[in-house]
Amino acid sequence: MVSLTRHIFEQQCFQPDGAEEFFTIMNRIVSGGKRIARDLRQAGLTDGLGLTDTRNVHGEQVRHMDARANELFVEAFQDSGIVQLVVSEEMEEPFPVAAAKETGKYAVFFDPLDGSSNIDVNAPLGSIFSIHCLDPNGRFLKPGCEQVASGYLLYGTGTILVYTCGAGVHQFTLDPVVGEFFLSALNVQIPARGKIYSVNEGNRYKWSKNMIKVIDYFHENDKETGRPYAARYTGCLVADVHRILLKGGLYLYPGEVRKPEGKLRLMYEAAPLSFVVEQAGGLGSTGVERISTIHPKTPHQCVPLIIGSREDVETTEQFLSRK
Ligand code: AHG
Ligand code: MN
Ligand code: MN
């Protein structure tokens, strides 16, 4: 049994002081994640379900557990000494960690709770994280290809953590009795092509003609290419992308004719998940460009997301680039 702590400590992809810093940041994420997993398990007994009366920067009504998960992650970084900035879906402005004003070298981006409409129905949820180094001038908005590490926790039948620091993708499962994550899959590889597509088809009337053709293509019957693909959609990006990571296929949240930027957020959804999927051999794309090369303009900007098996994403890109 290899614990996450030991695995991270043995990662070779950092310089000596970088390794220790990475260890510290990951431990904070893990402690926040474990507390979120605990609170989710008890949410039905502790008034943790339902909505608050506030809206976040995206205009979405915040749920009690969104707010709680955000609090837990912010708290986890209060005294790390090296994380200077926490950026979250649930905070309009980047949060400067006072204790790390001088010493902080890192910014951490979070979707504290992903798929939060699943809370009330006991369906899967996740947390997504992305770690960036701050530039000497304090610049923190950087393209995905400059991430130090990224990953997610998935609160499903079990709690798992998947991460990459640019040296493969590794999965850990929480032993709830011991309270520690242990390695459950080393060097995860995504199949080059899958049999599953994952999209909210209720939005079909909002899509471009080319996007409709993409989904029609995956519906067609063709034995040679394994079509039709099966549809799977949980409403939790982390859960849907995790299925695709392990089984192959593609997840799509495309742009819409009236909202070309789509719904998902670059810095704490699309970029970190694309880093994971690309490290496993897949692709993350907007349909016309790689997610990892987009230069962000704002912390909360949205992008279309087509992510998964390399061949499936490339097929989609071919449809979307047609005139
Ligand atoms: P969040 O709960 O962090 O706001 O994210 C919700 C996201 C994502 O988890 C999911 O894939 C997608 O929104 C679902 O959106 P639709 O309900 O529009 O399909
Ligand atoms: Mn989300
Ligand atoms: Mn969220």
Side-chain angles (χ1 to χ4, degrees):
M1 297 278 270
V2 177
S3 69
L4 175 61
T5 322
R6 186 175 133 200
H7 177 89
I8 292 170
F9 208 69
E10 288 173 355
Q11 280 293 339
Q12 298 296 309
C13 54
F14 295 99
Q15 298 304 313
D17 60 333
E20 205 168 303
E21 291 171 354
F22 180 58
F23 185 73
T24 301
I25 299 177
M26 286 300 289
N27 271 337
R28 302 297 164 131
I29 292 171
V30 164
S31 88
K34 284 198 275 198
R35 296 173 78 198
I36 292 171
R38 176 204 61 197
D39 286 6
L40 284 172
R41 276 197 298 274
Q42 297 171 353
L45 305 170
T46 57
D47 290 335
L49 307 180
L51 299 160
T52 67
D53 50 15
T54 50
R55 287 184 184 272
N56 67 16
V57 62
H58 302 284
E60 299 159 347
Q61 213 166 339
V62 176
R63 288 170 188 270
H64 289 292
M65 276 307 302
D66 285 320
R68 176 76 182 136
N70 187 60
E71 250 173 54
L72 288 171
F73 275 131
V74 170
E75 216 175 282
F77 286 105
Q78 286 295 8
D79 60 353
S80 77
I82 53 171
V83 172
Q84 195 186 96
L85 215 55
V86 178
V87 181
S88 159
E89 178 192 1
E90 306 304 343
M91 297 187 293
E92 189 163 352
E93 298 297 333
F95 178 80
V97 182
K101 199 165 174 249
E102 306 298 330
T103 49
K105 289 191 201 164
Y106 295 92
V108 182
F109 294 75
F110 277 110
D111 178 351
L113 205 55
D114 174 65
S116 51
S117 69
N118 283 358
I119 296 170
D120 293 0
V121 296
N122 201 29
L125 291 124
S127 300
I128 308 173
F129 60 90
S130 162
I131 306 169
H132 277 275
C133 245
L134 289 167
D135 279 356
N137 62 6
R139 186 175 73 103
F140 65 97
L141 282 177
K142 297 172 159 193
C145 57
E146 292 185 34
Q147 287 169 103
V148 172
S150 77
Y152 54 82
L153 288 119
L154 171 55
Y155 315 104
T157 43
T159 298
I160 62 160
L161 183 146
V162 172
Y163 89 98
T164 185
C165 61
V169 175
H170 315 295
Q171 177 190 286
F172 299 80
T173 302
L174 180 65
D175 179 331
V177 177
V178 179
E180 217 176 322
F181 283 93
F182 292 97
L183 184 65
S184 47
L186 187 69
N187 274 322
V188 177
Q189 290 290 309
I190 183 169
R193 195 162 77 190
K195 293 180 178 150
I196 294 167
Y197 74 100
S198 201
V199 70
N200 183 345
E201 295 207 68
N203 292 330
R204 184 181 169 98
Y205 77 102
K206 301 176 189 167
W207 296 338
S208 68
K209 285 201 177 74
N210 282 347
M211 181 59 207
I212 290 172
K213 283 183 190 154
V214 171
I215 299 305
D216 287 348
Y217 170 83
F218 288 113
H219 287 172
E220 274 167 21
N221 191 9
D222 179 55
K223 253 201 178 137
E224 207 172 303
T225 51
R227 289 176 292 149
Y229 280 22
R232 295 284 185 273
Y233 195 75
T234 66
C236 168
L237 174 66
V238 168
D240 288 322
V241 168
H242 186 64
R243 185 203 307 274
I244 298 294
L245 178 75
L246 300 185
K247 305 288 181 194
L250 79 171
Y251 174 97
L252 311 94
Y253 212 111
E256 295 163 0
V257 173
R258 294 201 173 164
K259 199 181 174 210
E261 72 281 16
K263 172 181 180 182
L264 299 180
R265 287 51 73 113
L266 174 63
M267 297 307 288
Y268 41 83
E269 288 179 325
L273 294 180
S274 295
F275 190 20
V276 168
V277 167
E278 295 201 348
Q279 274 291 312
L283 272 181
S285 168
T286 63
V288 292
E289 67 178 315
R290 291 268 303 279
I291 295 287
S292 63
T293 56
I294 298 174
H295 284 264
K297 293 190 178 68
T298 65
H300 298 290
Q301 85 185 64
C302 295
V303 281
L305 180 64
I306 322 285
I307 188 169
S309 292
R310 177 170 290 273
E311 290 175 21
D312 291 322
V313 174
E314 284 171 351
T315 300
T316 304
E317 286 176 330
Q318 281 160 20
F319 275 100
L320 294 180
S321 61
R322 287 183 189 169
K323 294 282 168 231

